[in-house]
Amino acid sequence: MSFADIVVLLFVLIIRGLNIYSYLVIAYCLFSFFPQAFTSPIGYKIYNIVYKLVRPAFDLVYMIIPPRFLNIGIVSLAPIAVFVGIHLLQIGLFELVKIVKGLL
């Protein structure tokens, strides 16, 4: 296995991880619609795990774009910005994989 194959494998694993991370963002957004999930200890533990994993992405979005530009009334556009960032990262990694595979 050459170095280029290892790099391609690493990029593919990162792309798969970003797919899983986008599902975590969806779960985090859905938790706000189901407050009764916090009444059970298991639901709260799941929410706490998802919160700790996803919150840094939202903090990064709020560092780049001020919150006053991400809110329309009571609706926050931060999840959309997180999804756009994830997909732009995936597109960039796909292009890097194409370049590395072209060098093989």
Side-chain angles (χ1 to χ4, degrees), residues 29-45:
C29 294
L30 288 177
F31 267 121
S32 65
F33 293 111
F34 301 115
Q36 69 270 16
F38 308 129
T39 58
S40 70
I42 295 172
Y44 182 73
K45 286 180 184 177

Side-chain angles (χ1 to χ4, degrees), residues 2-14 96-97 100:
S2 68
F3 180 71
D5 292 335
I6 294 172
V7 169
V8 167
L9 181 65
L10 179 70
F11 285 162
V12 169
L13 288 175
I14 292 172
L96 282 174
V97 166
V100 171

Side-chain angles (χ1 to χ4, degrees), residues 18 81-95:
L18 287 172
V82 170
F83 281 120
V84 168
I86 288 172
H87 288 296
L88 288 176
L89 280 172
Q90 286 178 337
I91 290 170
L93 287 172
F94 279 131
E95 293 300 319

Side-chain angles (χ1 to χ4, degrees), residues 55-67 70 78:
R55 197 67 213 164
F58 284 88
D59 291 342
L60 181 64
V61 166
Y62 284 129
M63 278 192 242
I64 296 170
I65 305 170
L70 287 172

